[in-house]
Amino acid sequence: EAPPPRPEYGTPIEVLNRVFGYDAFRDGQQEIIEHVANGGDALVLMPTGGGKSLCYQIPALVRKGVGVVISPLIALMQDQVDALQALGVRAGFLNSTQDFEERRVVEAQFLQGELDLLYLAPERLRVPATVELLDRGTVALFAIDEAHCVSQWGHDFRPDYLMLSHLHERWPDVPRIALTATATPATKQEIATRLKLTDARHFVASFDRPNIQYRIVPKTDAKKQLLHLLKTEHAGDAGIVYCLSRSSVEKTAEFLTANGIEAVPYHAGLDASVRAANQSRFLREDGLVVVATIAFGMGIDKPDVRFVAHLDLPKSVEGYYQETGRAGRDGLPSTAWLAYGLQDVVNLRKFIDAGEGDEQHRRRQSLHLDSMLALCETVECRRVQLLNYFGQPSEPCGNCDTCLSPPESWDGTIPAQKVLSTVVRLDRERRQKFGAGHIVDILVGKKNAKIIQFDHDSLSVFGVGSDLRDVEWRGVIRQLLAQGLLAVESNYGALVLTETSASVLRGDRRVMMRREPERAPAKAAAKSA
Ligand code: ADP
Ligand code: ZN
């Protein structure tokens, strides 16, 4: 039979004060909590750090029975449960890391009404015994955390999430609350459909993080650029530096340490004990820098992270936004800084083409990358573009690099034609594939060994690009890739034309480009371009 309600928990505001020790609700929390506490279904979109957890924890404490939280973040469950227990909340979890005996203890607690919250990995619901267990106890609500994992179009799809649509059929009277920090309007719709949240109220918080200053700079020497940023603007600050590969994580951490900045590495290849030690140092100490792959940060709740730096291009705007969202949870000014270059685009395009998965999967990844590139190459406010992506129109923010020093846009049609003509000529040499570096060498007329070997100094395009410098040509090629006017061939990383290239070559299409304010090409060169 059902356990008696726990009167000591009281109303939502009382729980907030007494159990969690906070004075007031944050924007949006109270409405969500009251709606769910009264038995309503909810779909909650709130940015990272917005305070989603309380939105299901408090209703779970207010309602009779156990709040069942479905979460894919198995590695965090122990920490989450420890934190709740420290507040006097009776919490437990069930996932694949436990042995039979550990699970049995938690199951008994659940059945005897000795739990307020039960964290559950989604794959547990595949096991009939788990379903039977839930049937025998009293469930106060289902919270579906990281709900975007149900979206096949999203960046983080988990097949087990598809089963969560059955929750409603099996337990029609139990309210459900689905939460995510990464939903675009289309993803939101998909979540509602797939989880059968037909009658759910939608709560959409503002995704703006006004205290975060977004900056995206062209990559020259990423580590040196990072060092400059830290020395000039973030001396002694805690921050996270994201790199794509484990080896660049290690090298960057060593580089920072060698240059007098306390930094520790974090990636999945490190010993679990080293990872745990580095993570807990980051949480406890002031001013430590963690250099990490994206394996780091999920559920990390450190309020005074002053900067998040990306040394490589993230694969999607969702990922970028989630990672940068770890800065400035305390509301104080913080920096989101990204260095991105031509090689990033080449690498990611190659990676997508060569990657596993079907055609649809590749197209999806490609669209994600396109949105990320559009953000990098925009001449408009970064924040307007970001918020637009999440379906929230806004005005230029005055606190991003493009607002603070607006880049000019320039007509890059002629340089674009020069690049594309070079690609056309090289394409005739079937046996050999050439990358961006070689194309730049041809354009600026560099007689190096490879040029001479292939007799490329006799091409009509040899030296036609002496009006721009190497870096500027790389910028032109990067932007052509970003705009889909040039593509990367998957095997060799050679540059190839796309269906839209022809319109540029024919002169039917103008190509507008972004000029970086800090390294603008000489005026004369730009005019002749
Ligand atoms: P999210 O899951 O949306 O990323 P969390 O639920 O982890 O965010 O909350 C982020 C931080 O904000 C946590 O430290 C949490 O304790 C704190 N927090 C949430 N709600 C409040 C509140 N009403 N008052 C003060 N702090 C809050
Ligand atoms: Zn702006």
Side-chain angles (χ1 to χ4, degrees):
E1 76 235 45
R6 302 191 62 194
E8 67 264 36
Y9 282 146
T11 64
I13 184 75
E14 286 166 349
V15 175
L16 180 77
N17 300 154
R18 281 199 239 132
V19 179
F20 294 95
Y22 297 132
D23 295 334
F25 284 113
R26 286 206 189 136
D27 270 358
Q29 283 177 329
Q30 186 162 12
E31 292 74 17
I32 299 165
I33 289 167
E34 280 173 1
H35 179 71
V36 177
N38 287 326
D41 290 343
L43 174 51
V44 174
L45 274 62
M46 215 186 250
T48 305
K52 283 185 286 299
S53 316
L54 291 184
C55 295
Y56 57 81
Q57 288 167 344
I58 294 182
L61 293 177
V62 169
R63 286 178 67 81
K64 204 171 88 179
V66 185
V68 174
V69 185
I70 319 285
S71 166
L73 307 178
I74 293 173
L76 295 176
M77 285 184 180
Q78 184 72 59
D79 287 344
Q80 284 171 324
V81 163
D82 289 349
L84 285 165
Q85 287 177 347
L87 297 171
V89 176
R90 304 170 309 167
F93 66 87
L94 289 174
N95 68 32
S96 53
T97 66
Q98 293 161 307
D99 61 26
F100 178 80
E101 182 54 25
E102 287 170 317
R103 271 208 289 273
R104 205 196 51 79
V105 170
V106 177
E107 287 170 5
Q109 289 173 330
F110 173 80
L111 289 174
Q112 282 150 24
E114 288 168 9
L115 286 182
D116 301 309
L117 282 157
L118 174 65
Y119 284 77
L120 207 60
E123 63 270 15
R124 283 286 106 199
L125 289 169
R126 269 201 311 241
V127 184
T130 311
V131 177
E132 282 155 29
L133 176 80
L134 296 183
D135 264 339
R136 281 155 60 209
T138 307
V139 179
L141 57 86
F142 287 109
I144 301 164
D145 208 4
E146 312 288 343
H148 61 277
C149 291
V150 79
S151 159
Q152 289 182 305
W153 278 98
H155 62 121
D156 203 12
F157 174 60
R158 318 251 172 153
D160 279 331
Y161 262 61
L162 292 175
M163 291 183 312
L164 301 180
S165 64
H166 301 314
L167 293 179
H168 185 51
E169 292 148 25
R170 185 95 188 196
W171 295 281
D173 298 328
V174 177
R176 293 168 299 153
I177 171 172
L179 312 101
T180 178
T182 62
T184 59
T187 318
K188 183 176 94 174
Q189 208 41 60
E190 201 187 341
I191 294 172
T193 311
R194 290 202 184 276
L195 294 179
K196 300 211 172 77
L197 282 164
T198 28
D199 296 326
R201 239 178 92 182
H202 293 197
F203 297 89
V204 181
S206 167
F207 270 59
D208 191 13
R209 302 285 307 279
N211 59 312
I212 298 181
Q213 184 177 92
Y214 296 98
R215 285 150 61 175
I216 302 179
V217 305
K219 192 191 285 190
T220 49
D221 180 335
K223 289 207 282 287
K224 276 203 193 126
Q225 289 171 287
L226 173 70
L227 185 64
H228 180 76
L229 174 80
L230 301 198
K231 291 237 147 133
T232 54
E233 298 180 46
H234 287 290
D237 284 346
I240 307 174
V241 177
Y242 283 110
C243 303
L244 212 55
S245 73
R246 295 172 186 186
S247 78
S248 58
V249 163
E250 307 252 342
K251 281 186 207 135
T252 307
E254 280 163 24
F255 173 82
L256 290 179
T257 309
N259 283 281
I261 289 172
E262 277 210 81
V264 292
Y266 188 103
H267 59 70
L270 291 170
D271 234 40
S273 61
V274 176
R275 273 201 320 259
N278 288 352
Q279 169 166 331
S280 83
R281 270 191 70 190
F282 179 68
L283 293 177
R284 266 183 298 109
E285 292 176 22
D286 289 332
L288 189 69
V289 175
V290 168
V291 185
T293 59
I294 54 170
F296 181 80
M298 279 268 211
I300 292 282
D301 181 22
K302 183 176 169 69
D304 59 344
V305 176
R306 288 277 70 82
F307 66 88
V308 170
H310 283 89
L311 298 196
D312 298 298
L313 187 66
K315 295 192 185 92
S316 69
V317 175
E318 281 95 340
Y320 169 76
Y321 203 68
Q322 201 161 61
E323 285 140 31
T324 55
R326 293 175 187 136
R329 289 195 182 200
D330 55 10
L332 297 175
S334 309
T335 310
W337 182 89
L338 159 65
Y340 123 94
L342 172 58
Q343 203 54 41
D344 286 314
V345 191
V346 173
N347 289 347
L348 284 185
R349 288 253 189 255
K350 264 204 303 201
F351 175 82
I352 290 172
D353 284 342
E356 73 248 21
D358 53 10
E359 187 51 37
Q360 201 191 23
H361 179 71
R362 276 195 283 277
R363 207 174 65 232
R364 202 150 61 219
Q365 288 187 308
S366 191
L367 289 172
H368 283 303
L369 178 58
D370 288 344
S371 305
M372 191 63 221
L373 291 173
L375 176 66
C376 291
E377 301 293 358
T378 186
V379 289
E380 273 143 44
C381 171
R382 307 270 190 208
R383 195 180 312 269
V384 165
Q385 181 118 347
L386 270 170
L387 292 176
N388 249 336
Y389 185 81
F390 293 110
Q392 304 189 340
S394 62
E395 295 295 314
C397 72
N399 187 27
C400 71
D401 55 357
T402 56
C403 281
L404 292 168
S405 49
E408 292 168 47
S409 62
W410 57 291
D411 187 337
T413 309
I414 289 174
Q417 289 169 337
K418 289 178 180 174
V419 170
L420 297 179
S421 324
T422 309
V423 172
V424 170
R425 286 185 175 69
L426 293 180
D427 201 36
R428 298 201 182 118
E429 304 180 35
R430 296 263 161 70
R431 280 169 302 141
Q432 189 73 26
K433 299 289 177 194
F434 299 99
H438 191 69
I439 289 172
V440 172
D441 288 345
I442 293 175
L443 286 165
V444 300
K446 200 178 276 174
K447 281 202 185 178
N448 61 26
K450 195 170 176 189
I451 297 274
I452 292 165
Q453 183 197 340
F454 289 98
D455 199 21
H456 283 166
D457 48 344
S458 67
L459 290 176
S460 58
V461 287
F462 185 77
V464 296
S466 53
D467 50 344
L468 296 184
R469 291 178 292 139
D470 284 28
V471 282
E472 290 153 2
W473 280 115
R474 292 180 73 81
V476 168
I477 294 176
R478 194 189 72 217
Q479 297 190 56
L480 289 173
L481 282 167
Q483 296 184 28
L485 295 168
L486 203 55
V488 177
E489 191 251 9
S490 53
N491 291 335
Y492 304 95
L495 296 178
V496 292
L497 299 189
T498 68
E499 281 169 23
T500 44
S501 309
S503 59
V504 177
L505 281 167
R506 280 198 309 267
D508 292 345
R509 174 174 173 155
R510 283 210 309 160
V511 184
M512 295 310 290
M513 297 204 174
R514 172 191 163 96
R515 177 179 297 132
E516 302 306 330
E518 65 268 50
R519 294 189 305 110
K523 277 269 149 23
K527 280 212 188 85
S528 73

